[in-house]
Amino acid sequence: MTTSGIPTTMRAAVLHGPGQLSLAERPVPEPGPGEVLVRVEAVGTCGSDVHYYRHGRIGDFVVREPLVLGHEAAGTVVACGPGADPRRMGRRVSIEPGTPCGSCGECRPGRYNLCPDMRFLATPPVDGAFCEYLAVHQDFAHEVPDCLTIEDAALLEPLSVAVWACRKARVAPGDRVLITGAGPIGLVTAQTARAFGAREVMVTDVLPHRLAMARATGATALDVSATPLRDAGYTPTVLLECSGVPAVSGEAIRTVGRAGRVVLVGMGGDEIPLPLSRVQNHELELTGTFRYAHTWPTATALVASGAVRLDSLVSHGYGLAEAESALTVATHDATAVKAVIYPQR
C-alpha cells in the first residue's frame, strides 16, 4: 500500500473488562486484498458500546480479551490494499461495520445481515473504531457527498437501522406509525417513517427532552408517565418498538389495529409478554430486525435531501483520550442523546 504520511502506530481506546478502558498504542493496520485504510474522523457511541463497557458482555458475546469498541464510524480513505480501487484515495466514507462471508445461504440471496460468519466491528473478538485508523473492505466503505458532515456520515449506521425497520414494516403513505422509545434509534426512525410517507407518527417516552426532540421531527409525542399508552386513543397501523423494554412492547402491541405490522427493533429482555389474542384476532404481523442490509444508499439519500436530520442527535463530542467520558456521559447528564468521539483529536 501507499504509506506516505501514515504513521506506523496509532492510538486506540481499549476495553480490558467492565469499567476498564485505557488508551493504548497499536500498529496501524495494513489493508488486505480489496481493503482500504480509513483515517477515522468521527465515531458515534452506541448503547451496545455502553453495555460492553459496563458489563463486559451482551448475551453470548463476551469480552474475553482486550477489545476496541465503536462501530458508527466515518473518515477518509488514505491507502488501498491489493486489488482495491485506487480512485478511492482521499474519498470521505461512511463505514458499514459488518463484513459478511459473501457465499453462505444467507449472503447469496442478499440477506447478508444474517450471515452466521459475519465479522462486526466492536463485537468480540473483532476490534472496532475507537482508534485512529481502520482497515475495511472497500465494498463496505460507502462514499458520501460533500453536503454530509463527518458526523452525518458516522450516523448513517443508526439511520440504517431505522431504514431497515421501516422496510420490514412496509411503511407507506397513509400509515399511522407508533414508535415506542425516543432514544437515538427511535428519533431517527420517526424521521424515516415520515420520509417513507407515514401520515402520522407518534413517539412515546418518559424523558421531556427526548419527547421535545420527537416533536421537533414533526411527530406527536406522548409522555407515558403522565398518560398511559392504552388511554391515548391512538390505533396505529404500524408499531416500531424501539425501547427494548418487554412491558412496553406488550402494551404497545395491544394498540395496533387490524392487519397491522409490528417490528421489534429495540434490544432488551429475552422475552416479551405477547398478547396472543390481539395478534390472532387482528391478524397482526410480527417480526424482528437484526441490523440491516443494502441500506446505505437510501440512508445517504435521506440525509442529502434533507428528509432526515442527524445533527440534532449529537449532544456531546470528545477526543479519543476522553472515550470513557463518552461512554458514561448519560449517567450524569440527563440531556445526553448521542456522544461522538473524534479519534484525530
Side-chain angles (χ1 to χ4, degrees):
M1 71 173 180
T2 302
T3 58
S4 176
I6 301 173
T8 58
T9 62
M10 65 175 184
R11 297 176 306 152
V14 182
L15 180 69
H16 297 274
Q20 302 174 43
L21 192 78
S22 63
L23 275 187
E25 199 79 8
R26 288 193 167 189
V28 170
E30 183 95 6
E35 291 186 335
V36 295
L37 183 68
V38 178
R39 183 178 66 237
V40 182
E41 293 160 3
V43 191
T45 57
C46 174
S48 63
D49 297 316
V50 175
H51 202 86
Y52 278 125
Y53 172 76
R54 289 178 177 171
H55 306 289
R57 67 183 300 155
I58 296 178
D60 294 334
F61 295 102
V62 182
V63 180
R64 303 186 188 279
E65 56 189 41
L67 179 73
V68 178
L69 296 174
H71 63 266
E72 302 175 359
T76 301
V77 175
V78 294
C80 296
D85 186 350
R87 293 174 296 181
R88 305 297 300 276
M89 286 285 292
R91 303 290 179 87
R92 297 164 68 244
V93 295
S94 172
I95 295 172
E96 183 171 353
T99 303
C101 75
S103 59
C104 70
E106 302 301 333
C107 287
R108 287 196 302 272
R111 301 186 298 263
Y112 66 81
N113 58 312
L114 301 180
C115 174
D117 295 319
M118 174 75 77
R119 290 179 56 82
F120 199 88
L121 296 182
T123 299
V126 182
D127 282 329
F130 286 178
C131 56
E132 294 180 300
Y133 292 89
L134 192 64
V136 297
H137 195 283
Q138 64 178 352
D139 290 348
F140 297 94
H142 302 276
E143 294 184 19
V144 296
D146 291 341
C147 61
L148 268 64
T149 67
I150 198 65
E151 293 85 358
D152 288 336
L155 298 185
L156 291 180
E157 196 277 342
L159 177 55
S160 282
V161 174
V163 169
W164 190 243
C166 286
R167 284 182 182 172
K168 293 282 282 185
R170 304 190 305 281
V171 175
D175 273 322
R176 304 180 81 214
V177 176
L178 171 63
I179 295 170
T180 44
I185 295 298
L187 291 169
V188 294
T189 301
Q191 295 188 65
T192 304
R194 181 72 74 178
F196 274 43
R199 68 182 172 94
E200 190 173 357
V201 177
M202 174 182 281
V203 180
T204 68
D205 207 288
V206 297
L207 298 177
H209 73 283
R210 294 199 174 188
L211 291 167
M213 293 180 71
R215 291 188 193 96
T217 70
T220 300
L222 178 68
D223 183 348
V224 289
S225 66
T227 303
L229 181 56
R230 63 181 177 274
D231 297 334
Y234 188 74
T235 305
T237 55
V238 171
L239 165 62
L240 301 171
E241 205 301 298
C242 297
S243 76
V245 178
V248 171
S249 303
E251 183 179 15
I253 291 170
R254 288 182 172 86
T255 70
V256 180
R258 288 176 170 80
R261 286 95 68 197
V262 176
V263 178
L264 304 177
V265 185
M267 301 181 75
D270 291 334
E271 298 181 357
I272 67 169
L274 183 65
L276 190 57
S277 62
R278 183 79 177 196
V279 173
Q280 291 180 318
N281 296 342
H282 284 64
E283 289 198 349
L284 304 184
E285 297 178 36
L286 189 150
T287 187
T289 59
F290 188 63
R291 298 171 180 158
Y292 34 68
H294 312 290
T295 52
W296 253 255
T298 298
T300 303
L302 287 173
V303 179
S305 69
V308 170
R309 295 282 304 274
L310 296 174
D311 53 352
S312 62
L313 296 180
V314 181
S315 58
H316 295 75
Y318 298 92
L320 189 60
E322 304 168 296
E324 193 163 15
S325 295
L327 294 169
T328 58
V329 63
T331 63
H332 56 78
D333 187 345
T335 67
V337 178
K338 175 72 70 173
V340 172
I341 292 173
Y342 300 93
Q344 302 302 318
R345 291 184 184 175

